[in-house]
Amino acid sequence: MIIDGLQCGYFDRDVFERLKQGNVHCVTPTLGFWEGTVPSLESIVRWRDLARENADLVGIATSAAQIESLAAQGKVAIVLGFQNATLLEGHIGFVELFADLGVRVIQLTYNNQNDLGGSCYEAEDSGLARYGKEVIREMNRCGVLVDLSHVGNRTSREAIEWSERPVAITHANPDEVYPHRRNKTTDVLHALRDHGGIIGCAAYRNIAGDEFCKTVDKWCELVARTVDIVGIDHVGIGTDKSHNTTQRDLDWMRKGHWTRGTDFGAGSAARPGKAPPPDWFKSVEDLGAVEPALARAGFSPAEVDQITHGNWLRVYRAVMG
Amino acid sequence: MIIDGLQCGYFDRDVFERLKQGNVHCVTPTLGFWEGTVPSLESIVRWRDLARENADLVGIATSAAQIESLAAQGKVAIVLGFQNATLLEGHIGFVELFADLGVRVIQLTYNNQNDLGGSCYEAEDSGLARYGKEVIREMNRCGVLVDLSHVGNRTSREAIEWSERPVAITHANPDEVYPHRRNKTTDVLHALRDHGGIIGCAAYRNIAGDEFCKTVDKWCELVARTVDIVGIDHVGIGTDKSHNTTQRDLDWMRKGHWTRGTDFGAGSAARPGKAPPPDWFKSVEDLGAVEPALARAGFSPAEVDQITHGNWLRVYRAVMG
């Protein structure tokens, strides 16, 4: 069984069937990048409708126990997540309301600084702002996982230390393994480890690099090097796989409403468009190849279980209660 | 025990204590009149905070069983209600989300026509609009009570017939007893009765009239005449009592954002301001006088129980499941 800590794009029945084929029995889709409260509620409505229409294949889960129960029925558990805190529109009280509506993961900041803290692409990382501290406390209270994937390194360190529950970097890689602003410095990863958190290794070409995208064994080498840095208890999978996205969606993800100019996100002027998927990971069912490859990389069966789902379940249990 | 189907204004610990003194163990406060989605969520946050801060006195209830359990503990059950459908901002999917957040009563239209249907103060009542039908079906499915108090008579009749569950006129009186546009014509009341609904008799001077405001016995005469029209199984209490409201609040209730002119709501040019409370009902604890007065009016103990709480509980049970 695989738990994927982050995917994005447009899910449909075909994607759900491929997830099952790939032995992925839990995934956190991205319900929003820049959206405010009302479009975020609309996104929840769409996901509820989608889950109802495909109730034979998927179910929305709000606890580790529900994930396990859905997986045991051969279904895919959906953990509702947002990649930005814009859904709150500055309301501390909305954390509880969104949690009541099933949201279980919120990334503190997306590509830009916001009212909570600094982001990986800002020249200056402010650190965790006053409101960011309030939101983390409330997320802790309401069983919502703090996601730091796109958060700046300083804000990430401060959030790890401030949070009373383990936090996650749901989709990123170690900067030491593949240097990139979206990847995490070793000091952040050690703090994450020391506070019981988890990093989901990404299979997104822009932040994994061409080399680790060649074969599944190459990608598992990236996973192994991440384990070397944070230890076997703190590594999971968070592919950042995007389904059915177009250039228009990519523009929204990168430019939102915040710029009339150009922004390449994790890409660059040299690689401006949609990054090609890893050679071994053209479609989501290919994730089925990860478990045997992790075994070939030298992980024991128990360690493979930890990386593929056990560590995620431990963190979900600690956060969602 | 008294259930009051509608109050409004600003509640605080003092009001909660007075409710208890008056033997009122369940009340539906008004969380919004004209507000869209975000300020309606803010209102829910405020009520949750208020309920938490006064957890020794009150609790938010979402079912008849919870109301009974809170009352048995000597507490006041709060049933979250809105006097307009503006909180949905045209989203059918938001009915379920607001229901999940605890909302159990929504009035289809307030003083003005909206996307659901016609209102009591419009020259022309359109009847129940297409979206209004969708919203009622969704409210039926999600356990939210349809309130028709300010709704136009034609829309009211159509809503009563369209709804698959009993509906309520939470705070109004029979037009036959006190003629007023806010009060309900006999054909509407008979349809309400025939479909298992309930009318909460109002103790708001503008729609009860000076005569029925003189003494509690006079007001119970109004209740008795309502029983004559719809039968003992379909009458409850819905005072429309407003707490701590100022002229500014009254302006908001009447004018919202919709007019730069003047609107008197249930008042008139001759009686433009805040209507004085009934002589017998200066503060909410005075409701304690209603039970003995109903007995004096000739109702048996079982009938008094029906009017004061039994009929409301039956409707709540039928709607909220």
Side-chain angles (χ1 to χ4, degrees), chain A residues 37-38 41-42 44-45 48 52 89 91 93-94 96-97 100-101 141, chain B residues 37-38 41-42 44-45 48 52 89 91 93-94 96-97 100-101 141:
Chain A
T37 303
V38 168
L41 294 171
E42 289 167 351
I44 293 171
V45 170
R48 287 183 175 210
R52 262 191 286 260
E89 288 188 4
H91 295 73
F94 286 10
E96 181 182 281
L97 302 192
D100 274 17
L101 296 175
R141 186 178 73 79
Chain B
T37 303
V38 168
L41 293 171
E42 289 168 350
I44 293 171
V45 170
R48 287 183 175 211
R52 263 191 285 261
E89 288 188 5
H91 296 73
F94 286 10
E96 182 182 279
L97 302 192
D100 273 19
L101 296 176
R141 186 178 74 80

Side-chain angles (χ1 to χ4, degrees), chain A residues 275-286:
Chain A
D279 305 324
W280 64 272
F281 184 36
K282 300 261 161 86
S283 184
V284 81
E285 67 271 24
D286 300 332

Side-chain angles (χ1 to χ4, degrees), chain B residues 268-312:
Chain B
S268 62
R271 299 169 75 154
K274 205 173 144 184
D279 305 324
W280 64 272
F281 184 38
K282 300 260 161 86
S283 184
V284 81
E285 69 270 24
D286 299 330
L287 281 178
V290 167
E291 286 174 272
L294 286 171
R296 287 194 299 274
F299 291 107
S300 72
E303 289 170 333
V304 172
D305 282 353
Q306 280 192 274
I307 294 169
T308 53
H309 60 276
N311 291 335
W312 273 123

